[in-house]
Amino acid sequence: MRKGKTFIVSGPSGVGKSTVLNALLQKRKDVYFSVSATTRPPRTGEEDHVHYHFIDVDTFREWIVKDEFLEYAEYVGNFYGTPKKYVDAAMEEGRDVILDIEIQGAIQVVSKRPDTVRIFIAPPSWDELERRLTERGTDTEEKIQKRLLRAKVEFQTAHTYDYFVINDTVENAVQELDAIMTAEHCKPQERMEIISGQ
């Protein structure tokens, strides 16, 4: 049985990552979407092990000491991280794993696991990104401008990724992600191991 691969998907806020990944997960049932651990309390409607693995600060610190995270960060007084054990279990089952993480987290993961495949999702234009952020109706104009500024900084690192997907339509972005994941399992080394293992 083939072993799964880890795919990092990064991109600026408002680019539509969640929508694209949800559509991809509907299409590919062999994919595990990595659930982060966090020390923040659950919000209304959030379920443990579904939206996050909710753990206390002492446990989180213990996991850091034991090197049980692929990446972690502190954000607004709470810790967030990607536990290795769930990722590894899914890969051993032959499932590909998707990590929806920011650029700093991606750097941490790749430093530990250089074979991780990195995909950057970008908007078709800056105007379109601004329109999407505005239409969400969740941010003030000041916050939108800060998100756009941050997006331009993130864009500067896009060339360090393995693939670049433009989310002009959800269908096109899903098709490209699907093709990338399929192609990554068509590398000679993996295919030859399948044949020689028979």
Side-chain angles (χ1 to χ4, degrees):
M1 184 177 73
R2 76 170 197 180
K3 188 178 177 184
K5 290 179 180 280
T6 302
F7 295 83
I8 287 172
V9 176
S10 303
S13 175
V15 79
K17 288 194 305 295
S18 298
T19 305
V20 169
L21 291 176
N22 285 336
L24 179 72
L25 292 169
Q26 291 297 314
K27 184 173 183 174
R28 292 187 78 119
K29 300 299 181 187
D30 60 337
V31 172
Y32 168 72
F33 184 76
S34 176
V35 178
S36 298
T38 183
T39 58
R40 78 157 170 77
R43 292 179 185 142
T44 306
E46 286 183 335
E47 293 178 55
D48 192 21
H49 306 303
V50 175
H51 298 95
Y52 284 97
H53 301 289
F54 294 101
I55 60 176
D56 60 48
V57 175
D58 289 342
T59 303
F60 201 103
R61 291 186 192 282
E62 193 178 302
W63 286 14
I64 292 172
V65 172
K66 291 181 177 176
D67 192 30
E68 292 190 20
F69 288 109
L70 284 175
E71 58 84 31
Y72 68 90
E74 188 177 356
Y75 181 72
V76 198
N78 294 303
F79 284 107
Y80 296 84
T82 303
K84 286 180 185 176
K85 60 183 174 183
Y86 303 112
V87 171
D88 292 344
M91 287 171 66
E92 286 302 323
E93 291 168 6
R95 297 162 75 194
D96 287 332
V97 177
I98 291 180
L99 309 180
D100 175 4
I101 53 178
E102 293 189 30
I103 285 146
Q104 293 307 315
I107 291 168
Q108 286 184 54
V109 174
V110 173
S111 71
K112 292 179 181 178
R113 299 191 175 175
D115 58 341
T116 301
V117 181
R118 291 164 297 165
I119 305 166
F120 191 93
I121 298 189
S125 69
W126 292 113
D127 287 345
E128 176 61 15
L129 183 62
E130 186 168 8
R131 187 188 70 76
R132 290 178 189 178
L133 285 168
T134 303
E135 283 190 357
R136 285 202 309 199
T138 55
D139 295 327
T140 61
E141 181 58 32
E142 185 187 1
K143 205 162 188 181
I144 288 169
Q145 291 308 315
K146 281 183 179 174
R147 288 191 190 281
L148 287 168
L149 193 64
R150 182 178 176 135
K152 292 193 175 180
V153 172
E154 290 172 334
F155 193 78
Q156 300 301 315
T157 67
H159 69 280
T160 66
Y161 278 63
D162 302 301
Y163 297 95
F164 191 95
V165 171
I166 295 174
N167 182 20
D168 50 355
T169 70
V170 172
E171 294 75 19
N172 287 347
V174 169
Q175 191 175 359
E176 290 192 359
L177 282 174
D178 186 40
I180 290 165
M181 295 177 80
T182 299
E184 280 294 322
H185 284 286
C186 296
K187 298 280 178 81
Q189 185 179 355
E190 183 173 324
R191 286 289 162 96
M192 289 164 78
E193 282 172 5
I194 292 169
I195 294 169
S196 62
Q198 290 177 346

